Amino acid sequence: MKLSRHITLLTDDGDDGWGLFYKARALKDAGHPIVELTIGEHDIRTDPSILSAMHRAATGGHTGYAIVPGTDTLRDTVAARIAQRTGQHTTRDNVLITPGGQAALFAAHVAVLDPGANGAFIDPYYATYPGTIRGAGGVAKSIITQAEQAFQPTRAALDAGLPGCASLLINSPNNPTGVVYSPATLDTIAAACQDHDVCLISDEVYDTQVWSGTHISPRSLPGMAERTLVVGSMSKSHAMTGSRVGWLVGPAEAIAALIDLATVTNYGVPGYIQDASVFALEQGQDLEAKIAAPFRRRRDLAQSLIARQNAVRALPADGAMYLMLDIRATGLSGKAFAGALLDAHQIAVMPGESFGAAAAGHIRIAMTIDDTAFRTALQTILTFAQSQITHKARMHHAR
Ligand code: PLP
């Protein structure tokens, strides 16, 4: 079949280190005892109470077409949640229910990018970002951040990257870095978006996983509600990754147009999944805290192990289910380090390079295995990093 240029150029990112992930998966499938610290998925399943609500809704008959924008009840529930978190008046007219955060990211870019328009994103980035912008017909433009500035975008970087762009995509709490944007960074982003007349797409799917500081939605900042689309999801907050349910929140006229897009794409989200989401959201912060608790525990555990050594430097792990470690002292690239670690210890981590040029010389660790196994794996990684530094020093002296 002759495929369109559009679809064949979607993932144009070359060899980006995902080869290591597939190698580890293949080894695991072949029966090797691989410790996978690669993927952002909880090690618990969806809570039984949510599954019961789903079952009740399905057996109660909510299995036909659901209305395209989402059920009134779920839209109202999401609107109330967003209003409470942002202080901004939000009603169901500001909410579109989507099949997950990823579909919301795609729809948001379709809403603000004309064909061929530039869509900016922050590097390091979640793997799908450039492809999502291209998929929506835009041209993906990265804005590089620096490890030394905890990967928070600066005004200078935004002023250099935003001219000529129609949108800026940000993500806080951040995957892959675990960084939470400071109030000052968010003010800077808001000012830059207004000065360069850019729409902001704010991916907040990790907003319930904040370990220090607070999550601030830029929708709450002065002048931003009218130019911001917020991406949300039940995937991370409620361990509902497979249920594919999320949302977009934005100005009512943007949501009205996005409902037309939803009509010609996914045509709604299953009603029983939406009912289960209402149930889950109504449980409030207790359930969210319970689901986030293992990551908070492992992050604290990691901090105590990392504090006892000098081989790797940790980025401030303020949120999300990831740790970003700076392994540049070993002299290895993230990709070489991850490859050697897999060969030597059967531990799979993601090379920083998989998430963009800015994360070169780093590795990303997903804190998604049980505490004891996590502690052992992290200790092994730290010892391995130290051995690489010792090896490098020996080679240097031998020269
Ligand atoms: N955004 C970020 C930053 C993510 O890490 C993910 C998933 O890993 C998503 C969006 C998409 O999540 P979902 O489509 O499951 O809501």
Side-chain angles (χ1 to χ4, degrees), residues 68-128:
V68 171
T71 64
D72 288 354
T73 326
L74 182 53
R75 291 173 86 198
D76 288 347
T77 308
V78 170
R81 176 188 175 88
I82 296 279
Q84 189 251 325
R85 281 166 178 252
T86 62
Q88 291 287 322
H89 179 68
T90 310
T91 71
R92 79 170 69 134
D93 293 337
N94 300 112
V95 179
L96 169 72
I97 303 303
T98 63
Q102 181 55 43
L105 283 165
F106 178 77
H109 282 94
V110 174
V112 299
L113 293 180
D114 280 320
N118 293 329
F121 65 100
I122 307 291
D123 181 341
Y125 54 87
Y126 171 51
T128 68

Side-chain angles (χ1 to χ4, degrees), residues 45-310:
R45 300 272 79 88
T46 304
D47 197 82
S49 64
I50 302 176
L51 295 179
S52 298
M54 204 180 287
H55 185 253
R56 273 196 308 279
T59 50
H62 207 171
T63 53
Y65 288 122
I67 52 169
V68 171
T71 64
D72 288 354
T73 326
L74 182 53
R75 291 173 86 198
D76 288 347
T77 308
V78 170
R81 176 188 175 88
I82 296 279
Q84 189 251 325
R85 281 166 178 252
T86 62
Q88 291 287 322
H89 179 68
T90 310
T91 71
R92 79 170 69 134
D93 293 337
N94 300 112
V95 179
L96 169 72
I97 303 303
T98 63
Q102 181 55 43
L105 283 165
F106 178 77
H109 282 94
V110 174
V112 299
L113 293 180
D114 280 320
N118 293 329
F121 65 100
I122 307 291
D123 181 341
Y125 54 87
Y126 171 51
T128 68
Y129 280 2
T132 303
I133 294 169
R134 286 186 210 113
V139 177
K141 298 276 183 194
S142 67
I143 293 180
I144 301 283
T145 57
Q146 309 293 337
E148 287 63 31
Q149 284 149 346
F151 293 119
Q152 309 240 357
T154 60
R155 182 69 206 225
L158 293 168
D159 282 342
L162 286 184
C165 288
S167 61
L168 169 65
L169 169 57
I170 62 165
N171 170 224
S172 175
N174 187 270
N175 176 13
T177 62
V179 163
V180 175
Y181 285 176
S182 68
T185 295
L186 288 163
D187 285 343
T188 301
I189 290 171
C193 286
Q194 293 179 40
D195 291 348
H196 295 285
D197 193 17
V198 162
C199 293
L200 183 64
I201 300 173
S202 179
D203 179 342
E204 302 179 21
V205 303
Y206 293 100
D207 67 352
T208 61
Q209 298 179 4
V210 178
W211 321 131
S212 69
T214 37
H215 168 71
I216 298 170
S217 171
R219 178 176 156 79
S220 66
L221 300 179
M224 290 309 287
E226 55 265 37
R227 61 170 70 243
T228 304
L229 290 168
V230 174
V231 173
S233 173
M234 297 296 289
S235 287
K236 314 290 179 179
S237 58
H238 292 82
M240 289 178 71
T241 49
S243 290
R244 313 307 307 134
V245 56
W247 53 80
L248 265 178
V249 173
E253 70 278 9
I255 296 299
L258 280 154
I259 293 170
D260 293 340
L261 178 68
T263 306
V264 299
T265 51
N266 51 282
Y267 207 75
V269 171
Y272 52 92
I273 302 273
Q274 295 193 61
D275 289 352
S277 303
V278 171
F279 170 86
L281 290 170
E282 279 173 349
Q283 303 316 299
Q285 290 191 351
D286 285 356
L287 181 56
E288 292 171 14
K290 178 176 147 192
I291 292 163
F295 305 121
R296 180 186 287 275
R297 262 197 334 262
R298 292 167 201 159
R299 175 262 192 190
D300 291 350
L301 204 147
Q303 289 212 319
S304 69
L305 289 183
I306 289 165
R308 291 189 213 142
Q309 55 81 59
N310 295 313

Side-chain angles (χ1 to χ4, degrees), residues 301-349:
L301 204 147
Q303 289 212 319
S304 69
L305 289 183
I306 289 165
R308 291 189 213 142
Q309 55 81 59
N310 295 313
V312 309
R313 204 177 69 90
L315 264 289
D318 289 337
M321 47 176 87
Y322 312 100
L323 278 182
M324 194 68 133
L325 299 185
D326 180 345
I327 49 92
R328 284 176 289 182
T330 64
L332 298 176
S333 67
K335 202 168 154 184
F337 184 95
L341 179 71
L342 181 62
D343 291 344
H345 296 290
Q346 291 76 50
I347 296 173
V349 297

